[in-house]
Amino acid sequence: LSDEKFRTMLVKEFEVRKDIDDVAIIIQGPVEGIESFVVKTVNFYSKAFPNAKLILSTWEGEQANLISDCLSTIENLIILKNRYLLERGPSNLNLQLKTTLAGLKLANDLGFDYAIKIRTDMRFYNTKVFDYFDFLAESHDSESKYQKIYVPNFNSFYKRVYSPTDQFQFGKTKTLIDFWTLANPNSLK
């Protein structure tokens, strides 16, 4: 896992995973100021996972239109241009909820059982990551193994509300939707 500030190179050699066809990769967040990184990320994912659905969930505006033009030839990509919220919420929570849930709900509507949610300023390079998640799921009992959300420990904090990092998450699409719906303070009203 890398972010655009520390590592902008792309792996030149990687295993193409045509077997990954039941996963949507939701790339969530703003693109302004990191347009080149986002374009390279989407291009990498489209080559590495040609049968996965890529969903870029970002904001309406000029930068989103520029990204759309740059990525117009990628067949397994959908770009969601969400209306920007004036009430950003604490730590931009409302913005994050809007783009995350829009991407996850689309993935669910399209029938994708599993999803990765990753921020626009992050990229994962290991194409064998799904093998790791399968291994982790098999280590749990049959009733709970698909109720889990897998996250790295990087930027996860024990005593912080919604402690699991938002930088990268993997799980059943419906489980991720439940998690992010519960994170929405408006869903409790």
Side-chain angles (χ1 to χ4, degrees):
L1 189 61
S2 178
D3 72 15
E4 57 87 23
K5 293 176 187 153
F6 298 107
R7 187 171 171 184
T8 57
M9 61 164 264
L10 274 178
V11 176
K12 298 203 182 337
E13 293 182 27
F14 55 88
E15 180 182 351
V16 174
R17 297 295 304 267
K18 291 183 180 180
D19 59 320
I20 306 301
D21 58 3
D22 61 345
V23 175
I25 301 173
I26 291 94
I27 307 159
Q28 165 275 322
V31 296
E32 188 171 342
I34 57 170
E35 297 87 346
S36 176
F37 182 81
V38 173
V39 167
K40 289 176 183 175
T41 297
V42 171
N43 278 311
F44 172 69
Y45 292 162
S46 71
K47 291 173 185 163
F49 310 107
N51 296 323
K53 179 58 73 183
L54 307 178
I55 300 172
L56 173 59
S57 186
T58 189
W59 302 108
E60 293 176 340
E62 190 174 318
Q63 304 313 39
N65 293 335
L66 174 68
I67 295 278
S68 294
D69 292 343
C70 292
L71 300 172
S72 63
T73 61
I74 297 180
E75 293 179 17
N76 61 334
L77 172 68
I78 296 173
I79 299 177
L80 292 177
K81 299 175 190 174
N82 300 281
R83 180 166 288 148
Y84 194 82
L85 301 174
L86 296 178
E87 287 188 43
R88 298 165 64 129
S91 300
N92 296 321
L93 179 62
N94 292 342
L95 301 178
Q96 184 180 31
L97 288 167
K98 173 84 172 175
T99 53
T100 298
L101 282 170
L104 288 168
K105 287 178 179 178
L106 177 60
N108 188 60
D109 291 347
L110 294 172
F112 287 89
D113 291 330
Y114 297 93
I116 282 180
K117 180 264 187 230
I118 190 164
R119 292 187 344 196
T120 52
D121 62 345
M122 305 299 290
R123 182 186 301 143
F124 69 94
Y125 292 91
N126 188 344
T127 60
K128 295 182 180 184
V129 69
F130 298 100
D131 300 332
Y132 178 67
F133 293 134
D134 284 342
F135 171 78
L136 287 176
E138 291 305 317
S139 69
H140 298 290
D141 62 70
S142 61
E143 286 187 34
S144 69
K145 71 180 178 182
Y146 296 112
Q147 306 297 321
K148 307 280 185 198
I149 298 175
Y150 298 97
V151 298
N153 63 357
F154 177 74
N155 205 32
S156 291
F157 300 96
Y158 176 66
K159 294 190 177 194
R160 182 179 70 186
V161 176
Y162 272 86
S163 170
T165 183
D166 68 318
Q167 295 173 336
F168 180 96
Q169 298 177 336
F170 173 81
K172 293 278 281 183
T173 306
K174 289 180 182 177
T175 303
L176 286 165
I177 289 170
D178 289 346
F179 175 83
W180 284 97
T181 301
L182 289 174
N184 184 351
N186 296 324
S187 71
L188 300 175
K189 292 180 180 177

